[in-house]
Amino acid sequence: MPQPLYYLRETASQTAGPFVHIGLAPGAAGFDIYRRELGHDIAGPNAKGERIRVEGVVLDGTGSPVKDALIEVWQANSQGHYAHPQGGGAVEEGFRGWGRVITNFDSGEWGFDTVKPGPVEPRGRMISSVAGRVRDTHPDWQGRVEDRFAPMAPHLNLWIVARGINIGLNTRMYFSDEAQANAVDPVLNLIEWENRRETLIATRSERDGVAVYRFEIRLQGEAETVFFDI
């Protein structure tokens, strides 16, 4: 008798493009159809905390820039709260915590302005009925409901798509000046090899009095960015 599977089937995938920018970032593709381009204002004018600039580039396996990638970002506010009913607390008026940028068609560079997120408070590891079944049928599963994660270090959640990528890539960006919080972050510590964790750390510098974080996303090859299967 086949073993029953208590989880949803995977949705069929397809490559993103060649019209991904027309549909998701029409302004960049030369179509002026929105009064304000969707996804450009992540934090809003009322968000508290340090204003920062995040920049980077997406590189393929040969080290060449990917000039048609699209990146979506989700983040908490400076208090570690997401703009969601279960996001941990209230957020400032106008704070969306979500944005969308594309790489420059000539250089492959990308960037956006936001506020630096705060540490995110822990949640129960497993709360769904599906998760409970997995727990009960796999004694070595480490996601016990009663356990709690340590607080997650300040981070950005990133999703990357481009032509040739069948399934969008999920990763995180952490901050180099949060070494103490990074050291106990439960997600970073799931990565067995410490040198691989470094692929998720953005380096900080300053430009005109504003903190600038640099984050390179490497799709393949040496120093390939860690991506998460979620």
Side-chain angles (χ1 to χ4, degrees), residues 129-205:
S129 59
V130 173
R133 294 190 185 100
V134 174
R135 175 202 62 203
D136 295 339
T137 56
H138 294 76
D140 58 341
W141 180 260
Q142 298 181 9
R144 295 179 294 276
V145 174
E146 67 275 11
D147 285 353
R148 304 283 287 182
F149 281 130
M152 287 185 283
H155 65 276
L156 305 178
N157 303 287
L158 303 175
W159 181 71
I160 304 102
V161 291
R163 283 183 290 181
I165 297 179
N166 288 333
I167 299 176
L169 302 174
N170 294 276
T171 190
R172 283 186 172 190
M173 189 200 94
Y174 291 84
F175 299 87
S176 60
D177 53 341
E178 297 285 350
Q180 185 173 357
N182 293 342
V184 296
D185 180 88
V187 175
L188 275 177
N189 279 281
L190 288 174
I191 304 170
E192 182 177 358
W193 298 280
E194 292 188 19
N195 64 315
R196 299 286 288 127
R197 300 173 194 171
E198 293 299 318
T199 67
L200 303 185
I201 308 297
T203 56
R204 176 177 175 134
S205 62

Side-chain angles (χ1 to χ4, degrees), residues 67-146:
K67 301 178 181 180
D68 63 350
L70 180 143
I71 301 171
E72 290 190 352
V73 54
W74 293 268
Q75 69 163 93
N77 68 0
S78 60
Q79 285 79 46
H81 302 158
Y82 282 91
H84 186 274
Q86 299 179 11
V91 298
E92 301 87 346
E93 181 179 358
F95 179 86
R96 301 186 66 183
W98 173 84
R100 177 184 289 159
V101 296
I102 66 169
T103 53
N104 183 277
F105 292 145
D106 296 319
S107 66
E109 295 276 332
W110 56 269
F112 55 85
D113 300 306
T114 186
V115 295
K116 187 177 181 183
V120 178
E121 288 300 312
R123 297 183 297 173
R125 292 190 179 188
M126 303 181 69
I127 59 175
S128 71
S129 59
V130 173
R133 294 190 185 100
V134 174
R135 175 202 62 203
D136 295 339
T137 56
H138 294 76
D140 58 341
W141 180 260
Q142 298 181 9
R144 295 179 294 276
V145 174
E146 67 275 11

Side-chain angles (χ1 to χ4, degrees), residues 41 43-53 113-116 210-211:
D41 189 6
N46 302 312
K48 302 175 183 178
E50 182 183 16
R51 295 278 169 171
I52 63 173
R53 173 78 178 168
D113 300 306
T114 186
V115 295
K116 187 177 181 183
V210 176

